Amino acid sequence: MKNTGIFIVLFILSTPIFAQELFVNTEPASNMATGAIGFRLTNTLLPSVQKTALRISPEVMFGLSRYLMLHVNVYGSNAYQPGFKFEGLSIYGKLRILALDQAQAHFRVALYGRASLSNNPINFHEINLQGENSGALGGIVITQLIHKLALSASSDLSYARNNSGHPFPPGRHHDQFGYTLSAGYLLLPRTYTDYKQTNVNIYVELLGKNGSEGEENFIDIAPAVQFIINSKMRIDLAYQHQLSGNMSRLSTQSYLLRLEYNIFNAF
């Protein structure tokens, strides 16, 4: 009982500090609480020339330790056929390697990776390991938080291989370089008095990719708003739009709705 009380106090004190780095399209260098389990359902509308597709991704997250967290995703959509079908799955892991913490501020660095399987046809040059391609990626993320403002940047290298039942097109490069720059701000509450207060965060993120030979690229902007209810439930609303680029993609814009629920001290 004593340990549970200490945990609740620490969680309440930390909530207004960490809320604004729960980025919508990227992961920060910080990890979820040790022993926590999170459940997400991400719904993404993908308008294209042919039709507007819907991709749904259930996700389970595990806070294995203060240094390590793990995500498991499943993907399904109607992007490549009239009906809805299972597309594949992925496993994402993040290892925190540096933490410099101060009162209402910290600087953190983490390594991350993803391994994915997909059964979709390979029709586009973009390597997207969240439903589109089979393969793996590895990268590094740096996050700086100062009171209500959080800034984060990441870079990674992805490698795509044959999809299940669909060979990788000959002559096409298997690897791409990705990068992100994110900013988040805690808009509400103005004064924090209770962990049951609803937090409102606003975000803007830049997401880019470059082909290994530099011949193809794109950069997107993704504004978002987020609501954190009772420190356990999270609702994300985001719009992503291509600012520039010449890389062929399933869609150059998207609309995202994500629901998330966390259970602390689950194991």
Side-chain angles (χ1 to χ4, degrees):
M1 181 65 69
K2 181 180 178 181
N3 290 338
T4 301
I6 293 174
F7 171 82
I8 292 173
V9 171
L10 291 176
F11 179 75
I12 292 172
L13 291 176
S14 67
T15 299
I17 298 176
F18 294 99
Q20 63 272 36
E21 65 175 82
L22 298 175
F23 301 108
V24 175
N25 294 283
T26 61
E27 284 282 335
S30 299
N31 285 341
M32 63 190 300
T34 302
I37 296 179
F39 301 92
R40 283 179 178 172
L41 180 62
T42 302
N43 307 275
T44 308
L45 283 176
L46 300 159
S48 66
V49 176
Q50 292 80 13
K51 65 176 181 179
T52 297
L54 172 64
R55 173 165 287 137
I56 296 178
S57 175
E59 180 176 358
V60 184
M61 308 173 292
F62 303 92
L64 301 180
S65 74
R66 62 185 297 186
Y67 302 104
L68 181 64
M69 66 183 295
L70 185 71
H71 296 202
V72 180
N73 290 74
V74 176
Y75 305 100
S77 85
N78 61 346
Y80 293 92
Q81 67 290 315
F84 202 83
K85 76 159 189 173
F86 167 76
E87 294 180 297
L89 53 84
S90 73
I91 298 176
Y92 170 91
K94 183 171 59 178
L95 176 66
R96 197 183 75 190
I97 59 174
L98 177 65
L100 303 176
D101 295 345
Q102 301 174 353
Q104 295 192 347
H106 62 233
F107 176 80
R108 294 181 178 176
V109 182
L111 303 177
Y112 63 91
R114 185 183 296 274
S116 303
L117 294 174
S118 174
N119 59 21
N120 278 324
I122 305 174
N123 294 342
F124 304 99
H125 287 194
E126 178 191 8
I127 296 176
N128 179 353
L129 298 181
Q130 298 189 63
E132 295 290 313
N133 295 95
S134 298
L137 68 78
I140 186 170
V141 56
I142 299 172
T143 302
Q144 173 71 67
L145 184 139
I146 304 174
H147 193 41
K148 292 188 175 185
L149 176 67
L151 300 172
S152 191
S154 72
S155 63
D156 58 54
L157 181 66
S158 57
Y159 178 85
R161 62 178 186 83
N162 295 340
N163 283 1
S164 177
H166 301 280
F168 201 85
R172 188 180 300 178
H173 297 294
H174 288 256
D175 52 342
Q176 286 179 4
F177 172 72
Y179 56 92
T180 69
L181 179 62
S182 305
Y185 186 78
L186 178 62
L187 191 64
L188 295 173
R190 297 291 187 183
T191 302
Y192 191 81
T193 58
D194 188 277
Y195 75 96
K196 293 184 178 181
Q197 288 176 283
T198 298
N199 287 5
V200 180
N201 304 304
I202 54 174
Y203 298 95
V204 62
E205 301 184 76
L206 296 175
L207 315 162
K209 286 185 181 178
N210 283 64
S212 58
E213 300 296 323
E215 74 284 358
E216 291 185 310
N217 63 80
F218 72 81
I219 184 167
D220 291 353
I221 187 169
V225 61
Q226 178 184 82
F227 305 90
I228 301 177
I229 303 167
N230 203 26
S231 297
K232 294 181 179 180
M233 182 178 292
R234 168 178 159 184
I235 302 173
D236 297 337
L237 298 168
Y239 172 67
Q240 186 170 330
H241 179 75
Q242 180 172 295
L243 292 177
S244 64
N246 60 352
M247 185 179 293
S248 65
R249 312 166 64 185
L250 175 61
S251 179
T252 58
Q253 59 179 324
S254 64
Y255 301 86
L256 179 146
L257 168 63
R258 177 184 292 130
L259 306 176
E260 177 181 325
Y261 187 81
N262 291 281
I263 301 174
F264 299 100
N265 275 350
F267 61 92

